[in-house]
Amino acid sequence: MTTVSEALRIAVGLHQGGRLAEAADIYRKIVQAAPGTADAWHLLGVLNHQSGQSGEAVRLIGEAIRRDPLCAAYHDNLGSALRALGKAAEAGGRHRAALALDPGWVKPFGNLAGALTDLGDGPAAAAALRRALRLSPDSDSHLLRLGDCLYAQDRIAEAEEAYRRLDMLQPGRPDCLYRLGLCRLADSRLMAATLATAGRLVDRAAMAEAVDAFARAAAGGHAASSADAGRNLFGTAIVALQTGVMEDGMLARVAEAGRRRLMAEPRDGGAPSAVLSSALSVVCYHLYRKGRLDLARRYFRKYARHWPAQAIAADFEMLLWSMVRSEAAFFDRLAAEPPGLFAGTGRRIAVPPRADGRPILLVGCDESYWQRFGAAFLASARTHAPSCAVHVHVVNPSVGTEAALVELARAGEPALSLSFETVELGGLPDPVRLTWFASARFAVTQQLLRQGPGQGGGPVIQVDVDALLLADPGAALAGWGDWDVAVMQDRRGRGPTRDFLAGFLAFNRTPAAQRYLDLVVAYIGRHFAEGRAYWGLDQAAPFCTHDYMVRAGCAPALVRFDFQTFPFLHFLEK
């Protein structure tokens, strides 16, 4: 006859071997035959908890405790079952009871930390994990959990210390490297930086360490950590590019990782993952930085052509790169068949520029922007740009706004000319409507330059209405020598949609400037006509057109101003 202890030993073996139904059957027979056997009640409860029946587990382990209240394991496992039922406070009490019975046992400290985390008490959870590590200093799971607990409380330095202890014990663990990367990224302050503050705020050494940790974790083979690390590797690079703090060497290293990631991806026509699309963007940015915009465009299309249009439309960086064109055939078509949708709307010159040869400051916007910023802009132009006339172009103005502007122009100071357009944009998404407002001024400049010197004025200088003049660009023209186009350039290499900044573009009244502008307007129009216009098009078109004309040997003479030291405008925070 099998004794209770023998039957219990057999059941435990089956339980440990994963044969849960057979083990449960023996546990039940034991509690029926010998109901005083606390271990059988307890282990049957543990089995139920492991099977997802935590409510029944609470009842069964409670029976075990009723028979033997001094067993620490019973209280600890009851706590785990209670926590699974969402009863974190009761669970914490049971884990503390286990520790009172066996203060040298590590496991209840970790379980108590889990319950305290559920209760939102991060400091107490961290203290429990530190107690566990005092008993078992080399516990990888507790080191990882302590780091995670501290990181969640923004105690970054302490979290990093825990992760580094783990990295010393188990060098190269992808999950640990990924977390170290998160700590270094937090210390770099990159994610808190803006374009205006990044140069002085970002710790580039910490950012480089974060990128290195992410790269090593992404190559480590651990599925979940590699995916997270890859997403952070390329995402960090893109943020660094956007904020102007990405150095060439780092970009080259991340781009190489991006190429490897892209080559490993099957081209099955499905939607790209966030890792894949950001990897592609980084590779394209690297090629752009090397002066290979055409190669960047071809590389983008090599992969993007396999992806659904809706996937491209849902990804900000993919949208930006989809507007980058550099191939000769595209520009040949623009020259031969300029699109009519954008250039052919009902724009009208309501008050023409005076025939006095003055440079023209052109602002273009919708009615809302004019009402917010127009008066301050005019005042700054009157004070700081006396050599210039001003031309205001408003898209879809109300009758009242149009009448008020006409009345202001007739008052005569500063010299003010006007144009308006009415176009149906209601069915377009906000980014596309805003792109139209930002782009319309190129077509107005085209109209103004088409007028002869006796009908219009001097060069046309496009500026943002949400800016204030600091100095007179018209007075500076004489020092520009033989020029066709003047640009405000962001020399930090932030990409083809951020290189030539549309907040300032000046066009001389020369054939070369007009040829360039004609292609820019056609470039913008083609994207609107084909439904591919998006925010940034007004900057992609001038840059990509110039890049093409340089390669074709017909580029206009360019004057470049550095955005970071730009002398003429103060750009307002909006």
Side-chain angles (χ1 to χ4, degrees):
M1 177 180 291
T2 304
T3 66
V4 169
S5 60
E6 289 172 341
L8 193 61
R9 187 167 55 252
I10 292 168
V12 168
L14 293 168
H15 191 166
Q16 292 173 338
R19 295 163 66 179
L20 302 186
E22 296 170 74
D25 184 58
I26 296 175
Y27 289 144
R28 289 191 190 96
K29 288 177 179 176
I30 294 173
V31 299
Q32 288 169 2
T37 309
D39 271 351
W41 288 100
H42 168 242
L43 291 170
L44 183 58
V46 170
L47 188 150
N48 273 267
H49 174 55
Q50 292 170 338
S51 302
Q53 304 298 318
S54 296
E56 179 64 5
V58 167
R59 185 187 72 80
L60 292 166
I61 300 175
E63 289 290 336
I65 291 172
R66 192 165 63 82
R67 288 161 174 79
D68 182 1
L70 300 181
C71 179
Y74 297 176
H75 289 277
D76 190 52
N77 286 327
L78 178 57
S80 296
L82 287 165
R83 184 184 173 204
L85 295 172
K87 299 179 179 181
E90 294 179 55
R94 288 297 175 173
H95 296 312
R96 288 189 178 95
L99 289 167
L101 291 167
D102 189 352
W105 190 21
V106 174
K107 181 172 172 280
F109 282 111
N111 288 334
L112 175 60
L116 291 167
T117 299
D118 291 351
L119 292 168
D121 193 347
L129 289 165
R130 290 191 192 279
R131 292 282 301 276
L133 285 164
R134 281 200 291 272
L135 294 168
S136 180
D138 295 343
S139 170
D140 57 346
S141 63
H142 287 129
L143 280 169
L144 199 65
R145 287 181 61 198
L146 176 61
D148 291 351
C149 181
L150 294 166
Y151 184 87
Q153 299 172 59
D154 287 328
R155 296 161 66 180
I156 305 301
E158 295 174 77
E160 184 174 342
E161 180 185 1
Y163 296 140
R164 290 203 181 279
R165 282 176 60 188
L166 177 55
D167 189 52
M168 290 179 64
L169 291 169
Q170 299 180 16
R173 263 183 68 155
D175 54 351
C176 183
L177 287 172
Y178 168 63
R179 288 164 167 82
L180 281 170
L182 291 177
C183 291
R184 301 313 296 143
L185 181 60
D187 278 346
S188 77
R189 302 185 296 279
L190 173 66
M191 306 310 291
T194 65
L195 182 58
T197 64
R200 65 178 182 274
L201 183 67
V202 173
D203 182 336
R204 300 192 187 203
M207 183 181 74
E209 291 168 1
V211 166
D212 179 66
F214 290 145
R216 291 168 60 202
H222 184 279
S225 297
S226 294
D228 289 340
R231 188 161 46 250
N232 278 271
L233 171 65
F234 304 121
T236 299
I238 288 172
V239 173
L241 279 156
Q242 291 171 346
T243 51
V245 293
M246 172 57 78
E247 297 173 356
D248 288 347
M250 183 186 297
L251 179 57
R253 292 192 295 274
V254 180
E256 182 55 37
R259 288 188 184 91
R260 291 194 297 269
R261 182 68 181 83
L262 288 161
M263 290 174 64
E265 186 75 12
R267 300 180 203 169
D268 57 5
S273 65
V275 174
L276 200 63
S277 62
S278 56
L280 178 56
S281 284
V282 170
V283 174
C284 292
Y285 280 120
H286 180 238
L287 293 169
Y288 145 80
R289 281 267 188 104
K290 293 174 68 177
R292 303 296 304 277
L293 187 65
D294 188 52
L295 183 56
R297 177 207 56 93
R298 286 188 277 122
Y299 201 94
F300 173 77
R301 278 163 176 72
K302 174 182 176 181
Y303 290 91
R305 68 171 181 255
H306 299 286
W307 298 338
Q310 60 269 27
I312 299 292
D315 188 299
F316 178 75
E317 286 292 326
M318 294 295 95
L319 277 171
L320 294 184
W321 279 102
S322 71
M323 295 188 299
V324 172
R325 304 300 294 266
S326 60
E327 64 274 33
F330 174 76
F331 286 96
D332 289 344
R333 183 184 172 204
L334 290 184
E337 305 170 21
L341 173 66
F342 178 71
T345 61
R347 296 187 185 93
R348 64 193 190 281
I349 303 290
V351 178
R354 296 182 181 183
D356 57 9
R358 286 211 263 178
I360 301 170
L361 290 173
L362 165 63
V363 293
C365 56
D366 67 339
E367 180 174 75
S368 172
Y369 253 51
W370 177 254
Q371 290 175 345
R372 289 175 63 191
F373 303 110
F377 175 83
L378 287 179
S380 74
R382 186 182 302 114
T383 303
H384 295 291
S387 76
C388 297
V390 175
H391 185 95
V392 174
H393 178 77
V394 182
V395 181
N396 292 336
S398 67
V399 172
T401 294
E402 185 170 336
L405 277 167
V406 170
E407 182 177 352
L408 187 63
R410 286 173 179 164
E413 286 298 335
L416 181 63
S417 53
L418 303 171
S419 57
F420 305 108
E421 68 179 285
T422 302
V423 58
E424 178 52 54
L425 302 174
L428 299 177
D430 281 348
V432 182
R433 285 192 308 104
L434 295 172
T435 299
W436 186 286
F437 300 149
S439 301
R441 55 190 166 178
F442 287 92
V444 177
T445 299
Q446 188 181 42
Q447 286 181 273
L448 296 177
L449 290 182
R450 283 277 183 268
Q451 297 175 334
Q455 297 174 286
V460 178
I461 305 170
Q462 295 180 189
V463 294
D464 282 346
V465 70
D466 54 337
L468 300 176
L469 271 297
L470 298 173
D472 191 342
L477 288 174
W480 297 358
D482 294 328
W483 69 283
D484 298 309
V485 178
V487 301
M488 180 173 61
Q489 186 169 17
D490 194 330
R491 299 183 187 276
R492 291 170 290 184
R494 296 171 55 235
T497 61
R498 305 179 185 99
D499 199 309
F500 284 10
L501 300 176
F504 174 91
L505 272 166
F507 299 88
N508 206 357
R509 198 173 290 272
T510 63
Q514 291 187 10
R515 285 194 298 271
Y516 171 70
L517 181 59
D518 288 346
L519 280 179
V520 170
V521 172
Y523 188 113
I524 293 169
R526 181 72 66 201
H527 282 75
F528 274 110
E530 295 177 356
R532 291 186 291 105
Y534 192 71
W535 189 248
L537 176 60
D538 60 326
Q539 297 185 159
F543 178 80
C544 295
T545 299
H546 180 261
D547 176 82
Y548 158 73
M549 294 180 81
V550 168
R551 287 183 282 109
C554 59
L558 210 64
V559 177
R560 302 173 190 261
F561 292 96
D562 189 342
F563 167 65
Q564 293 181 283
T565 57
F566 191 67
F568 301 118
L569 290 172
H570 167 65
F571 296 94
L572 303 177
E573 294 287 340
K574 298 185 287 294

